[in-house]
Amino acid sequence: MTTVFHFFFVPLSIGLAFTVTVMETLYVAKRKYIYKRMAQFWGKIFLLSFAVGVVTGIIQEFQFGMNWSNYSRFMGDIFGAPLAIEALLAFFMESTFIGVWMFTWNRFKPGVHVIFIWLTWLGSTVSAIWILAANSFMQNPVGFGINKKTGHAEMTNFAAVISNPQLWREFPHIATGALMLGGMVVVGMSAFGFMHKNADRAFFTRSIRVGAIIALIGSILVIITGDLQTLEIIKDQPMKFAATEGIYEDLKSPAPWMVVGFMNEGSHTAAGLEIPGMLSLLAFHKLYGGTIQGMNTLNQQFLGERGKIIKNGIEHPEISNYYVPANVLFWSFRFMAAVGFAVLILAICVLWFTRASKNTLADSRWKLWVLGVCTYLPFIGTTGGWLITELGRYPWIVYGLQTIADAVSPTATVTSLLITNIVYFLLFCLMGGVMIFYSRRVLHQGPEPDVEGSAQTATAGAHVGAHAANRKVALA
Amino acid sequence: MTEFLAKPLIDGNNFLQLLWFFVIALVFAIFLFLDGIDFGVGMATRVLAHNGDERALYMRAVGPHWDGNEVWLITGGGAMFASFPLWYASLFSGYYLLLFIVLVGLILRGVSFEFAAHAITDRERNVWQWANFAGSVIAPFGLGMMLTSVIQGVPMDAQGNVHAGFFDVVNLLSIVGGVAVVFFSFLHGLHFLSLKLDEATSERMLNTSKKTYWIAYPALVIFVILAFIFTDFYQRRTKSTLLITVVILAATICGHLAAYKKRGGFAFLASGVTLAGIIAFIFNGLFPNVMIATDPSKSLAVSTASSSQYTLEIMTIVLCCLLPIVLIYFSWSYFIQRKRLLTDNSPEAIKAALAE
């Protein structure tokens, strides 16, 4: 749960950081004041998401030890290193420069100030690399050996760990997904911004166009990288792939593609609407050649290779086979892919409707509503992707090495897990709610007025939290 | 080179294991030194500030830094995970609920800065300022409790699973330890604010600090006495423990004197040394173990809890490359924000501020 919630905010932070970076860079390049106002305005939303992202990230780090102590013992030798490097290389950079960026708008020349947001974005992106390096190991363990004496995994080849092919398929997909998400959030929120009666049209038009361009490029890249990643997954984690496509029995090419369907996880059969030959095209980019293994075959194969999963001499009935939650994966994949293409189409539409010669978007309320609601769309996509990644390796926590059941802390009691999960859940709801509430309010207040002097005064006041004009505090 | 790295030096620990034990102690010491500021400032918002605007100003004083300061905790956790995974696993799973409370404190505090800045009405802003205060008390108290209950020895099985009962975590020493950390964080925050705010406020800070020291002394002395009774630090590691105790006491007295003499800078350094000294005291006492079990044969030692030599080597290379860079820009971020904040509402002051 923490992971999913945290994963709402990570791509949001990265994506918004990038959007703000682009806006401020435009300001530096074109010296038009509107871009500075854009960077500052969307910067506020970025800071809100960053604040929530950071605190959930802290929980995340400590939960490995708290809830997954056996996992930490088994894997710490390999898993800890990327995390520590992430803190040193990326997290410091991100949080130091975001502090500098926030408070030095009037202290540095625009050309210098923009560097700080670039570094913030770079920090957040680099941090994603290292986290994914750790995660990729869980998907596809490389560069390690098992210490016979302790039974723990030990790193033997650091270069192999960071050049894990899984990582370099996963990272571009997630990084570009974040760009798409950041762009789309700006598009959607701008749409809501237009609807407000005193909306600053020029401002939101410029914003929505920048957002749409980023979302467009992001969505094209995310589709390409997603495709590349799938090719890798077919090789490394065939079970995951079979589940995302709902395949129980082996398929010979040309294999049909199930558009929608339902998997009976008890009897291991699937039924749905199929397009003949399509899957071979999607998976191998050709009609003939290559068989796709189904989950039944793979399960038999895993049982043959590794036997039933046994812990403390007892067979675990719930994990005595290697099936993954097929329905969740199947639908997650469809939602994720649909979101990618939907954003692509939406972004093109936005660019078309706001073209300089005939800008009609702001007058069409239904279009704005559609776009506004679509703010939430990419979050469905990223969550879907995350579910595929994490549930697709079931029952393994580290693919082929340690099961989820073996990884948990033996000392954590059911009561304490229950209490902490309830509290976390309430806290997350609260933070998410407040975050959306304040984002909406920032949007309704609109950007700072387009007068250079007064805008800056207002910013100086805003820094100490005094939005109301009567309690402005000057800060040197 | 490799021969030297693998050779046992002290108590069967080789150079890299010793180095990483030291690095983790150092990172936690830096963390307490820096985040002590934020905790203390958070406490001052309720104890000293007269109104919401003043509270906002205090929070603004740490606004650019709290985030970076907290990263030291994350780095400490990450470094521990990488270099002593067994320690990390035992400690954090064993102190599950306490750590959870600390995390809730850190969450409340973390979001409060941004949320308070977005509040419109005074009442709304007050909610987040309370959240900041609550987090600033809960987090250091919980961390202090955790650190001091660890040193008394905890019930641990052969796999390193800690089965800590309520009274293993909450007892006389750990409560005093928690209180001591809270008090010294408060003092540290006051001293920081005395450097960041205008002269009149600065004077108020140091006056409060002067009085608070008189409460902090008993906490410290009781802590030392209890540590003498409940831990084997003074018996097992007599010289170094005594030395650190003397340093902590001396720093405390120096801080107090500096507060009397209105020397905010010295007071700040001194209270920081006290906080870092508490970490030094604990880590020095733990060595050569990282977790002391009630049954000494099950204690987790530096040498057994560490990760493989290869991982340590990689991590050492990474550390040597990155830490200097981090330190440079981290100090730079403090340097550019070194100016005092003014509380002047006149248009001239605003203009002057913007002219910077």
Side-chain angles (χ1 to χ4, degrees), chain A residues 50 58 61-62 65 67 73 77 91-93 95 106-107 155 158 410-411 438 441 464 467 471-472 474-475, chain B residues 53 67 70-71 74 78 88 92 96 117-118 120 122 124 128 160 307-308 310-311 329 336 342 345 353 356:
Chain A
F50 183 79
I58 298 179
E61 191 201 20
F62 288 106
N67 291 346
R73 288 195 185 99
D77 202 90
F91 216 20
F92 266 123
M93 184 151 93
S95 49
N106 305 313
R107 297 272 302 276
M155 184 152 57
F158 182 66
T411 50
Y438 279 141
R441 192 148 80 189
V464 285
H467 277 292
R471 46 173 153 86
K472 246 169 228 163
L475 300 168
Chain B
D53 283 350
D67 204 357
E70 211 156 272
V71 176
I74 298 172
Y88 172 87
F92 289 177
Y96 193 89
H118 280 274
I120 292 178
D122 279 331
E124 191 188 335
W128 297 116
S307 48
S308 69
Y310 179 75
T311 301
Y329 68 65
I336 57 163
L342 300 173
N345 295 350
E356 286 289 327

Side-chain angles (χ1 to χ4, degrees), chain A residues 57-292:
Chain A
I58 298 179
I59 308 176
Q60 189 90 69
E61 191 201 20
F62 288 106
Q63 273 192 340
F64 287 116
M66 289 166 74
N67 291 346
W68 306 99
S69 64
N70 273 346
Y71 168 77
S72 307
R73 288 195 185 99
F74 177 70
M75 281 286 300
D77 202 90
I78 303 152
F79 198 83
L83 284 193
I85 296 171
E86 188 232 0
L88 268 174
L89 184 69
F91 216 20
F92 266 123
M93 184 151 93
E94 193 181 357
S95 49
T96 308
F97 284 105
I98 201 170
V100 173
W101 180 76
M102 267 163 91
F103 292 101
T104 57
W105 277 98
N106 305 313
R107 297 272 302 276
F108 290 96
K109 287 197 186 99
V112 178
H113 191 259
V114 73
I115 297 172
F116 303 144
I117 187 74
W118 271 105
L119 287 170
T120 307
W121 171 72
L122 188 70
S124 62
T125 308
V126 171
S127 113
I129 296 184
W130 289 100
I131 289 298
L132 291 175
N135 183 269
S136 299
F137 187 90
M138 292 161 79
Q139 308 289 344
N140 177 31
V142 287
F144 73 102
I146 301 284
N147 184 326
K148 291 239 166 56
K149 215 172 74 198
T150 58
H152 296 160
E154 284 186 355
M155 184 152 57
T156 53
N157 189 347
F158 182 66
V161 171
I162 55 170
S163 62
N164 192 339
Q166 182 95 24
L167 167 64
W168 297 105
R169 296 287 190 276
E170 208 177 324
F171 169 69
H173 188 55
I174 286 182
T176 52
L179 299 192
M180 179 191 89
L181 188 141
M184 196 57 212
V185 166
V186 171
V187 168
M189 287 187 67
S190 300
F192 277 130
F194 272 126
M195 283 190 250
H196 204 257
K197 54 182 183 296
N198 302 324
D200 180 341
R201 289 208 173 188
F203 178 86
F204 282 117
T205 306
R206 201 66 69 96
S207 298
I208 208 170
R209 284 187 71 86
V210 172
I213 291 170
I214 294 172
L216 176 66
I217 298 171
S219 60
I220 294 171
L221 291 175
V222 89
I223 291 165
I224 297 171
T225 52
D227 184 57
L228 290 173
Q229 198 189 358
T230 308
L231 293 180
E232 192 67 27
I233 285 174
I234 296 174
K235 270 192 297 176
D236 292 344
Q237 295 173 312
M239 183 64 105
K240 184 187 274 183
F241 175 72
T244 56
E245 296 299 352
I247 307 162
Y248 276 105
E249 301 299 334
D250 288 359
L251 293 175
K252 292 236 160 41
S253 55
W257 182 55
M258 186 150 48
V259 189
V260 287
F262 175 75
M263 263 99 323
N264 188 331
E265 287 173 36
S267 66
H268 308 304
T269 50
L273 185 69
E274 293 181 337
I275 303 178
M278 190 69 186
L279 185 61
S280 297
L281 274 182
L282 288 172
F284 302 113
H285 305 282
K286 59 187 176 195
L287 263 178
Y288 292 95
T291 334
I292 296 166

Side-chain angles (χ1 to χ4, degrees), chain B residues 306-341:
Chain B
S306 87
S307 48
S308 69
Q309 192 70 9
Y310 179 75
T311 301
L312 289 180
E313 279 170 27
I314 295 279
M315 290 302 298
T316 310
I317 296 168
V318 170
L319 184 81
C320 292
C321 299
L322 295 181
L323 195 63
I325 305 172
V326 170
L327 285 175
I328 289 170
Y329 68 65
F330 196 81
S331 340
W332 172 79
S333 83
Y334 269 87
F335 177 75
I336 57 163
Q337 300 277 354
R338 70 191 178 285
K339 282 237 168 75
R340 283 171 192 270
L341 303 169

Side-chain angles (χ1 to χ4, degrees), chain A residues 431-444:
Chain A
M431 287 191 300
V434 173
M435 146 106 202
I436 293 174
F437 176 74
Y438 279 141
S439 303
R440 274 177 56 100
R441 192 148 80 189
V442 168
L443 197 64
H444 287 170

